[in-house]
Amino acid sequence: MESILFVCLGNICRSPAAEAAVRQRAPELALDSAGTGAWHVGKPPYEPMQDAARARGLDLSDLRARQFTADDFGRFDAIIAMDRQNAEDIEALRPDGAEAPVVLFADYIGEGDAPVPDPYYTRDFEGCLDMIEACAEGLVAGLRRP
Ligand code: 4NP
């Protein structure tokens, strides 16, 4: 797995943070993020998330939101969704024959169905980043395992 797309709803909180947390741990991977919604296309990540991430050494300032498209199935080895609704919205766009798996991020900490809670609504940026960093660790450890 060399290229991974992280997907949430707005692409301004969870998926940009996930992208940066995995990049910090595995800079050799080709990573991107996108949102299933289009509200924030072209915008940088949400300032409170940028601030919380920066305090952990994660710089989100160069990232810009874009919307997930069906073409993304052909551009990435795997698509990682932050919650089940994201995964359903992604799957609804799957082209015939597209093989890239859609996985929930919490799978990498053995929590299967658990959502990465959306801090845009919960306002719990620290809890969200704790979970994202744990999932990022699990993902990268899995890739490095022989
Ligand atoms: P995200 O959070 O999916 O983690 O980027 C959201 C940010 C904004 C909105 C929804 C979710 N919104 O509806 O504006």
Side-chain angles (χ1 to χ4, degrees), residues 8-16 39-40 82 86 118-121:
C8 61
L9 178 58
N11 195 208
I12 57 167
C13 290
R14 294 167 294 170
S15 61
W39 307 284
H40 303 285
M82 298 299 116
N86 304 149
D118 191 340
Y120 195 73
Y121 300 110

